[in-house]
């Protein structure tokens, strides 16, 4: 956390400020449980800051629009000389930060900003003509070159402050209602998850199988900033040496940077617009199918398992995300933005850039997207990546007595006996309809 480190380095009293903006989260359609997850980590962070003799102020305002006024009130109440914080890169956040900086500078307060949330700041990796890459592989190759040149190890945890700030500012009383027990709270727990993942999992081999604990499951913590991408890379380098730069997992971290860089370069992506100006964008209105998809009642076991995992855990395995997104946008021809919004409404790792990038990739509307004719067969994907049906049985318990041979595509009579619905679409017909629609 560079901002914290450098603030403590001044040898002056330090106060930590966290501002909660619940209405802003609602405007962005984010999951209520994500807000509670944030609050739980703020509480944990405040407890850890106490160990460094750093008091915390927690404030609640509706939206970013009230941020300048809040800072002016704090300036009028406290003796503030400097403010340290991290860059944000999306439209609303950039505007928020500029408004706050204006208030601070008008009051003669020094502002220090640091890069923290991604491996490299957006804008670092560009083609020779200065333009943004639109294909991931050359972006990644250039990115690794730049990363190896610019990489510095993360800063250590700072020493405790010698001088303790005495503050008299009423702070929000944190009332946390986070109920998803499968997600441990706290930076120490997350560091342990990271270390265990790097020591015990063959990510390249196991990451596509949702029944295997073959992914890091760090995405919610990365989305919140509980752990940073540079911390992840530092641990990978310690474990694997320079080979880590070329590993499959670090490649996924670079995808995260790629989508953030795209949204920084093309703000329209944050405004529900397609990346491709000529992309098909007249989707079918099929509310009944959309509702069945949301509830995990499509009649396709892998699709339903994924959608129910999302509802129950605030997360979904990445392979399954691709399949359910392809199913909605290409087989049902339902607007990808509806799926994007549904994901944001439940995901703990709901990240605007990554979620948008994933949905535009799946729907053939985005940058370096899957071509329109690449349509995942949900039955074939189920048999390939959940061959024993273990993942399906966990999230679609009405099918838990079926054999691996039957579970991926039960017969009608078996479905009736299990209380499981018929497929809501005919795959072959839907696939042909999609091919004709995209080509028209």
């Amino acid at each position: 956390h560079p901002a914290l480190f450098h603030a403590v380095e001044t040898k002056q009293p330090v106060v930590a400020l966290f501002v909660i903006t619940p209405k802003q989260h609602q405007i962005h359609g984010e999951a209520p449980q994500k807000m509670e997850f944030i609050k739980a980590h703020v509480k944990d962070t405040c407890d850890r800051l106490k160990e460094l003799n750093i008091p915390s102020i927690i404030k609640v305002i509706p939206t970013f629009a009230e941020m300048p006024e809040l800072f002016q009130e704090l300036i009028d109440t406290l003796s503030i000389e400097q403010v340290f914080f991290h860059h944000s890169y999306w439209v609303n956040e950039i505007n928020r930060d500029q408004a706050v900086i204006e208030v601070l500078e008008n009051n003669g307060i020094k502002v220090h900003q640091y890069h923290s949330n991604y491996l490299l700041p957006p804008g670092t990796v560009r083609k020779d003509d200065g333009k943004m890459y639109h294909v991931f592989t050359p972006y990644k190759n250039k990115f690794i070159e730049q990363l190896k040149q610019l990489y510095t190890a993360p800063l250590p945890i700072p020493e405790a402050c010698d001088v303790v700030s005495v503050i008299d500012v009423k702070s929000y009383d944190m009332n946390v209602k986070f109920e998803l027990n499968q997600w441990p709270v706290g930076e120490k727990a997350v560091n342990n998850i990271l270390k265990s993942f790097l020591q015990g999992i063959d990510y390249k081999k196991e990451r596509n199988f949702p029944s295997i604990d073959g992914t890091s499951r760090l995405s919610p913590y990365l989305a919140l900033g509980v752990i940073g991408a540079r911390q992840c890379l530092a641990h990978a380098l310690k474990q694997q040496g320079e080979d880590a730069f070329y590993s499959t997992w670090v490649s996924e971290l670079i995808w995260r940077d790629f989508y953030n860089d795209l949204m920084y370069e093309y703000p329209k992506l944050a405004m529900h617009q397609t990346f491709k100006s000529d992309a098909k964008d007249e989707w079918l209105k099929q509310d009944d199918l959309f509702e069945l998809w949301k509830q995990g009642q499509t009649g396709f076991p892998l699709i339903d398992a994924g959608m129910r995992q999302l509802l129950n855990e605030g997360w979904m395995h990445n392979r399954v995300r691709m399949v359910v997104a392809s199913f909605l946008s290409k087989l049902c021809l339902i607007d990808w933005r509806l799926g994007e919004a549904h994901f944001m409404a439940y995901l703990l790792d709901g990240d605007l850039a990554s979620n948008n990038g994933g949905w535009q990739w799946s729907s053939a509307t985005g940058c370096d997207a899957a071509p329109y004719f690449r349509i995942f067969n949900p039955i074939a994907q189920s048999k390939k990546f959940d061959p024993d049906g273990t993942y399906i049985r966990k999230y679609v318990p009405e099918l838990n007595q079926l054999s691996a041979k039957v579970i991926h595509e039960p017969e009608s009579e078996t479905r009736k006996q299990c209380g499981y619905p018929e497929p809501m679409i005919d795959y072959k017909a839907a696939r042909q309809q999609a091919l004709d629609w995209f080509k028209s």
Side-chain angles (χ1 to χ4, degrees):
H1 198 290
L4 173 64
F5 181 88
H6 291 295
V8 173
E9 202 176 34
T10 65
K11 304 298 182 181
Q12 298 296 313
V14 176
V15 176
L17 170 68
F18 189 86
V19 184
I20 299 173
T21 53
K23 189 174 179 182
Q24 193 77 41
H25 287 274
Q26 292 172 8
I27 292 169
H28 289 169
E30 294 181 290
Q33 274 283 28
K34 181 182 175 184
M35 186 70 252
E36 294 303 314
F37 199 46
I38 291 170
K39 288 162 64 176
H41 278 96
V42 171
K43 187 176 185 302
D44 174 77
T45 302
C46 292
D47 290 341
R48 296 191 67 204
L49 287 171
K50 286 179 185 176
E51 299 172 9
L52 300 178
N53 295 330
I54 299 174
S56 303
I57 300 172
I58 301 167
K59 290 289 186 180
V60 178
I61 56 176
T63 68
F64 293 162
E66 292 78 25
M67 198 77 80
E69 181 182 349
L70 170 63
F71 267 83
Q72 188 61 59
E73 290 175 1
L74 291 171
I75 291 167
D76 294 340
T77 305
L78 299 171
S79 176
I80 300 174
E81 295 180 0
Q82 303 180 75
V83 172
F84 300 75
F85 64 99
H86 294 152
H87 285 282
S88 294
Y89 303 109
W90 303 335
V91 176
N92 290 342
E93 287 77 4
I94 289 172
N95 292 336
R96 173 201 66 194
D97 294 352
Q98 288 175 340
V100 168
I101 289 169
E102 184 176 345
V103 171
L104 295 172
E105 290 182 342
N106 287 342
N107 285 271
I109 296 170
K110 293 180 181 178
V111 177
H112 306 272
Q113 287 182 272
Y114 302 92
H115 170 73
S116 174
N117 294 331
Y118 294 88
L119 292 173
L120 292 174
T124 303
V125 178
R126 291 293 181 266
K127 294 190 284 186
D128 292 341
D129 62 5
K131 295 181 180 179
M132 173 67 188
Y133 285 94
H134 292 175
V135 178
F136 176 70
T137 300
Y139 176 89
K140 172 186 166 183
N141 294 337
K142 184 76 169 285
F143 191 101
I144 292 172
E145 288 179 23
Q146 295 281 84
L147 186 59
K148 291 172 76 172
Q149 292 175 21
L150 299 173
Y151 174 78
T152 56
L155 295 165
I157 296 172
E159 299 292 328
C161 290
D162 295 329
V163 184
V164 182
S165 175
V166 179
I167 59 173
D168 185 20
V169 177
K170 184 172 176 55
S171 190
Y172 172 69
D173 186 16
M174 191 71 73
N175 182 20
V176 179
K177 299 177 182 177
F178 185 68
E179 299 171 348
L180 299 175
N181 295 327
Q182 60 267 53
W183 300 103
V185 171
E187 188 179 348
K188 290 181 178 179
V190 178
N191 270 299
N192 289 335
I193 293 171
L194 171 59
K195 292 173 185 176
S196 297
F197 162 71
L198 289 170
Q199 291 171 0
I201 292 174
D202 186 343
Y203 179 77
K204 183 176 182 179
K205 181 180 178 181
E206 299 179 346
R207 68 191 180 110
N208 280 313
F209 297 90
S211 65
I212 298 174
D213 191 16
T215 66
S216 70
R217 291 177 66 91
L218 288 170
S219 55
Y221 306 103
L222 282 163
L224 268 60
V226 179
I227 194 168
R230 288 175 60 237
Q231 284 175 276
C232 292
L233 177 60
H235 281 285
L237 288 169
K238 185 178 179 180
Q239 185 80 17
Q240 303 164 13
E242 288 226 344
D243 290 345
F245 285 115
Y246 306 96
S247 68
T248 303
W249 185 57
V250 170
S251 180
E252 292 301 312
L253 292 176
I254 297 173
W255 267 108
R256 182 172 174 269
D257 266 65
F258 180 59
Y259 284 141
N260 177 61
D261 212 343
L262 279 170
M263 189 159 282
Y264 175 76
E265 185 76 8
Y266 302 103
K268 70 174 186 176
L269 298 177
M271 302 171 189
H272 310 293
Q273 296 179 37
T274 60
F275 176 82
K276 294 179 180 177
S277 57
D278 60 347
K280 290 284 289 186
D281 208 23
E282 298 173 358
W283 305 89
L284 303 185
K285 186 173 176 57
Q286 305 198 81
D287 293 346
D288 53 340
L289 297 187
F290 183 52
E291 287 301 319
L292 292 172
W293 177 84
K294 287 197 299 184
Q295 298 303 321
Q297 295 291 340
T298 68
F300 290 86
L302 183 66
I303 303 295
D304 294 338
M307 298 308 295
R308 296 185 197 184
Q309 182 181 29
L310 174 65
L311 295 177
N312 292 326
E313 296 181 6
W315 188 81
M316 190 192 301
H317 187 277
N318 186 59
R319 164 59 59 172
V320 186
R321 292 190 200 201
M322 291 192 290
V323 178
V324 303
S326 174
F327 181 89
L328 185 75
S329 60
K330 288 183 174 174
L331 290 175
C332 300
L333 297 180
I334 291 173
D335 194 334
W336 60 270
R337 283 163 286 227
L338 296 174
E340 177 193 32
H342 181 70
F343 269 31
M344 283 298 288
Y346 286 92
L347 283 173
L348 289 181
D349 65 2
D351 175 276
L352 181 64
S354 293
N355 191 43
N356 179 277
W359 273 96
Q360 291 218 39
W361 183 90
S362 296
S363 61
T365 62
C367 180
D368 199 13
Y372 75 88
F373 50 81
R374 185 184 181 188
I375 302 173
F376 287 120
N377 180 330
I379 304 301
Q381 291 284 309
S382 183
K383 292 177 178 178
K384 183 175 181 179
F385 295 111
D386 189 30
D388 297 327
T390 304
Y391 177 74
I392 292 171
R393 290 189 190 90
K394 181 175 181 178
Y395 296 103
V396 190
E398 57 266 43
L399 302 180
N400 62 12
Q401 298 302 314
L402 300 186
S403 68
K405 184 177 180 179
V406 173
I407 197 168
H408 305 285
E409 197 175 12
E411 298 289 343
S412 291
E413 187 59 36
T414 303
R415 290 171 184 267
K416 289 178 183 177
Q417 293 172 358
C418 296
Y420 185 66
E422 293 288 334
M424 72 180 196
I425 59 170
D426 177 89
Y427 168 72
K428 289 184 179 179
R431 185 179 187 279
Q432 189 58 53
Q433 179 189 32
L435 293 174
D436 294 341
W437 184 83
F438 277 104
K439 286 188 288 187
S440 65

